[in-house]
Amino acid sequence: LIITKADLKRYLEMDKVALGMKEKRPRILTGHIWKYEISLRYHEYFENKINKNIVDRFLRKYWSYMHYKRGLRLGFTIPINVFGGGLGIHHYGMVVVNGNAKVGEWCTVQQGVNIGQNHSAEEVPTLGDNIYIGPGAKLFGKIYIASGIQIGANAVVNKSFYEEGITIAGIPARKLNDNI
Ligand SMILES: CC(C)(COP(=O)(O)OP(=O)(O)OC[C@H]1O[C@@H](n2cnc3c(N)ncnc32)[C@H](O)[C@@H]1OP(=O)(O)O)[C@@H](O)C(=O)NCCC(=O)NCCS
């Protein structure tokens, strides 16, 4: 969770690494995904900050709007306080995530991914660190995905996987090489 300025700096640095960015800051006409992630992190910071003064309250509204507006352009619905640092998004297009889901650090999310609820808003996925989510994968319900898991393209993940570092794929998702 981003609460302090130091947290914000760390998350921004990790995201930059995850996105493979070398420049100091995004260029004016490009770097849209990077700019989006920066808006997400500033929104998180100003939302979570304790003791907000009037300027902070204004900045919370400003970054909330930038986060929303940039997300609209790219097709991203990624609420605050879901992803740990090191979020890697490499393409534009339809990433929809439930605000109650929790994802660890260094997650890569491809286009067309959905991390959502099933039945009720409490029934959402929890993911560990270092997870790769292939294009089109859908994860939903009260499930747990262990660290280091790679999720294949178009997988439908509707149950928990506790074994770290495996590859899962298919509909419904199963551990690869286990007769999928
Ligand atoms: C899941 C994935 C990583 C597995 O790759 P891999 O370890 O090389 O696995 P293989 O290709 O050897 O496949 C092993 C078996 O799983 C099946 N399989 C592989 N990916 C699958 C998928 N996404 N869904 C269903 N079955 C899949 C294969 O058909 C094969 O089955 P078989 O043994 O009956 O022939 C890969 O298929 C994948 O989905 N990669 C995503 C690629 C990606 O994100 N690209 C970037 C796009 S922007």
Side-chain angles (χ1 to χ4, degrees):
L1 212 63
I2 301 179
I3 300 196
T4 65
K5 259 257 156 71
D7 297 332
L8 174 64
K9 197 164 171 247
R10 186 164 51 84
Y11 273 61
L12 291 172
E13 216 32 67
M14 288 171 80
D15 289 345
K16 184 175 160 183
V17 172
L19 293 169
M21 293 298 148
K22 302 272 180 283
E23 301 92 347
K24 208 160 175 247
R25 58 180 68 87
R27 301 227 166 99
I28 292 170
L29 297 175
T30 58
H32 299 299
I33 297 178
W34 191 8
K35 285 179 198 159
Y36 171 80
E37 291 201 16
I38 290 170
S39 315
L40 167 72
R41 298 316 189 182
Y42 272 91
H43 182 195
E44 290 180 347
Y45 171 65
F46 284 106
E47 196 69 49
N48 299 341
K49 192 175 184 210
I50 302 154
N51 298 330
K52 292 187 244 317
N53 62 30
I54 189 157
V55 177
D56 294 333
R57 286 205 291 273
F58 167 78
L59 288 172
R60 178 181 62 173
K61 282 203 173 0
Y62 171 77
W63 284 111
S64 165
Y65 175 68
M66 292 305 282
H67 173 203
Y68 168 76
K69 191 181 97 166
R70 288 175 170 167
L72 210 55
R73 193 158 20 158
L74 299 170
F76 298 163
T77 304
I78 302 178
I80 56 170
N81 300 329
V82 171
F83 284 91
L87 169 60
I89 307 176
H90 301 295
H91 302 283
Y92 313 144
M94 294 320 290
V95 174
V96 178
V97 178
N98 185 289
N100 292 322
K102 286 281 164 273
V103 184
E105 296 180 338
W106 303 113
C107 183
T108 298
V109 179
Q110 294 291 14
Q111 66 282 6
V113 164
N114 181 209
I115 303 176
Q117 71 174 59
N118 200 17
H119 309 305
S120 78
E122 289 73 44
E123 293 186 36
V124 290
T126 301
L127 282 64
D129 299 321
N130 292 300
I131 287 177
Y132 176 87
I133 311 178
K138 313 288 181 257
L139 291 68
F140 54 84
K142 197 173 166 52
I143 58 171
Y144 175 75
I145 306 297
S147 294
I149 285 186
Q150 189 180 21
I151 301 172
N154 282 337
V156 171
V157 187
N158 60 353
K159 67 178 179 67
S160 295
F161 289 86
Y162 296 100
E163 189 182 348
E164 295 192 357
I166 60 171
T167 299
I168 62 175
I171 304 176
R174 296 202 179 95
K175 183 177 164 183
L176 221 70
N177 307 324
D178 264 0
N179 302 324
I180 72 160

